[in-house]
Amino acid sequence: MIRLTRLNDEEFVINCSQIERVETIPESNVIMVNGKHYVVKESVDEILDRVIEFHAQIYARAQKKNV
């Protein structure tokens, strides 16, 4: 899950595993696999960084359990 910000400054958390694509319109439009979409303040690069960080945290936790 990653935290994003709507245009009205409302923060929300989204399941990043359900993101189908992100478009720039010029804001970022996050389109989910179920067809819903969210227009957010974060840039595409910021969203990508958050998704990568989320998955890195999961991987790191899994590695700790296997030690």
Side-chain angles (χ1 to χ4, degrees):
M1 305 281 280
I2 60 171
R3 188 177 309 273
L4 296 174
T5 311
R6 297 180 193 269
L7 297 182
N8 66 0
D9 291 326
E10 177 186 334
E11 286 190 356
F12 68 105
V13 178
I14 193 168
N15 181 348
C16 61
S17 298
Q18 296 296 308
I19 295 174
E20 180 179 326
R21 66 184 187 277
V22 180
E23 301 172 346
T24 303
I25 59 170
E27 299 85 3
S28 296
N29 188 22
V30 180
I31 297 101
M32 309 302 286
V33 294
N34 66 3
K36 290 185 179 184
H37 66 95
Y38 303 93
V39 179
V40 298
K41 289 186 170 185
E42 290 78 9
S43 69
V44 172
D45 288 335
E46 288 174 304
I47 296 168
L48 287 172
D49 287 344
R50 291 179 188 187
V51 170
I52 291 167
E53 177 61 28
F54 172 76
H55 287 290
Q57 289 176 4
I58 291 173
Y59 181 77
R61 288 180 186 177
Q63 292 301 311
K64 283 183 183 179
K65 288 183 179 180
N66 291 330
V67 173

